[in-house]
């Protein structure tokens, strides 16, 4: 019998969910997306999560969250693109109490995407050092070494020019600065060169919403490592959060 988990990817711009079939990594339902509330504090995000749970009629069954922050033992330790009230907030205890669900897990959103790509997507079977970067509202990173995830890396927060990398090479930066694809490609290429100097990855995977436009900027990325788009595209966060639940729930 296949196991199903509701995966919810909480992002700085959208909150999306789908029921995932763990045996295949495929969606067992359609994907539903809501806008992240402007004031994205725990109570406001909880209201959106409740709406998703009611859409999927998902009561007292496993729920898995991908969250855009450093996560240690179910507690958020940062909050770059989400309300600061989440810092040091015990996400698992709060959500399992408020939703009245026993089986709740939370993992960093990019780590979730990395896990999904490792298990079902473009990182499957890859040896050596693989770095997935999700380019969305921010830049998330998942570092994988010989198929093992090194959690909570934050390559979107590397110091860069006057700020940090995610303020120059995320999909949001591209839109805010109205960058044309060649301009964006050359900015991203510079960031990747710097990361390559630090990590010498064998493969870099570009994920997030922008992965579907890879042909626009991919050929401009001037690094030694193989650079490929994420196979599961923007669904990787949902799929990986659900898979993380499968691996880690008691
Ligand atoms: C956060 C990361 C997150 C990424 C993508 C960054 O600003 O610090 O934890 O993975 O955005 O959402």
């Amino acid at each position: 019998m296949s196991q199903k988990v509701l995966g919810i990817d909480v992002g700085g711009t959208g909150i999306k969910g789908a029921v995932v079939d763990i045996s295949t990594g495929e969606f067992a339902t359609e994907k539903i997306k809501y806008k992240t509330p402007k004031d994205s504090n725990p109570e406001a995000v909880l209201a959106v999560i409740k709406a998703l749970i009611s859409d999927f009629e998902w009561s007292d069954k496993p729920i898995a969250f991908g969250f855009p922050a450093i996560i240690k033992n179910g507690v958020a330790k940062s909050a770059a693109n989400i309300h600061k009230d989440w810092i040091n907030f015990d996400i698992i205890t709060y959500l399992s109490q408020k939703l009245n669900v026993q089986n709740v897990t939370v993992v960093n959103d990019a780590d979730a995407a990395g896990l999904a790509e490792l298990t079902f997507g473009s990182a499957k079977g890859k040896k050596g050092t693989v770095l997935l970067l999700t380019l969305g509202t921010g830049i998330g990173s998942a570092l994988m070494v010989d198929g093992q995830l090194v959690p909570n890396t934050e390559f979107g927060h590397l110091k860069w020019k006057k700020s940090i990398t995610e303020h120059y090479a995320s999909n949001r930066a591209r839109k805010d600065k109205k960058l044309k694809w060649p301009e964006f490609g050359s900015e991203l290429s510079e960031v990747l060169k710097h990361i390559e100097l630090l990590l010498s990855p064998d493969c870099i995977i570009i994920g997030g919403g922008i992965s579907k436009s890879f042909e626009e900027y991919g050929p401009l990325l001037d690094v030694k490592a193989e650079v490929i788009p994420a196979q599961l595209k923007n669904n990787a966060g949902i799929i990986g959060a659900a898979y993380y639940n499968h691996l880690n729930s008691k």
Side-chain angles (χ1 to χ4, degrees), residues 67-70 78 80-81 108-110 134 138-141 154 157 166:
F67 200 82
I70 297 169
S78 65
N81 295 306
N108 169 268
D109 56 355
T134 60
I139 294 183
S141 55
E154 287 282 341
H157 286 249
E166 76 175 11

Side-chain angles (χ1 to χ4, degrees), residues 113-124 132 205 230-233 236:
L115 205 51
E117 293 294 338
L118 260 183
T119 317
F120 305 107
S122 18
K124 194 173 172 182
L132 166 78
I205 303 175
Q231 194 178 315
L232 307 170
K233 305 208 162 59

Side-chain angles (χ1 to χ4, degrees), residues 49 67 81 87 93 131 133 137 142 147-148 159 163 169 188 199 219 228:
I49 291 168
F67 200 82
N81 295 306
I87 298 179
T93 305
L131 180 70
L133 295 176
T137 312
Q148 281 290 320
K159 293 267 181 286
S163 175
L188 180 59
L199 281 182
I228 53 175

Side-chain angles (χ1 to χ4, degrees), residues 1-6 18-29 120 239 242-243:
M1 202 186 74
S2 67
Q3 194 189 330
K4 295 195 172 73
V5 175
L6 173 58
V19 175
V20 179
D21 182 334
I22 294 305
S23 57
T24 59
E26 278 164 14
F27 285 175
T29 62
F120 305 107
I239 297 166
Y243 196 70

Side-chain angles (χ1 to χ4, degrees), residues 26 50 60 62 87 194 245:
E26 278 164 14
K50 282 186 171 167
D60 208 18
I87 298 179
H194 184 56
N245 176 284

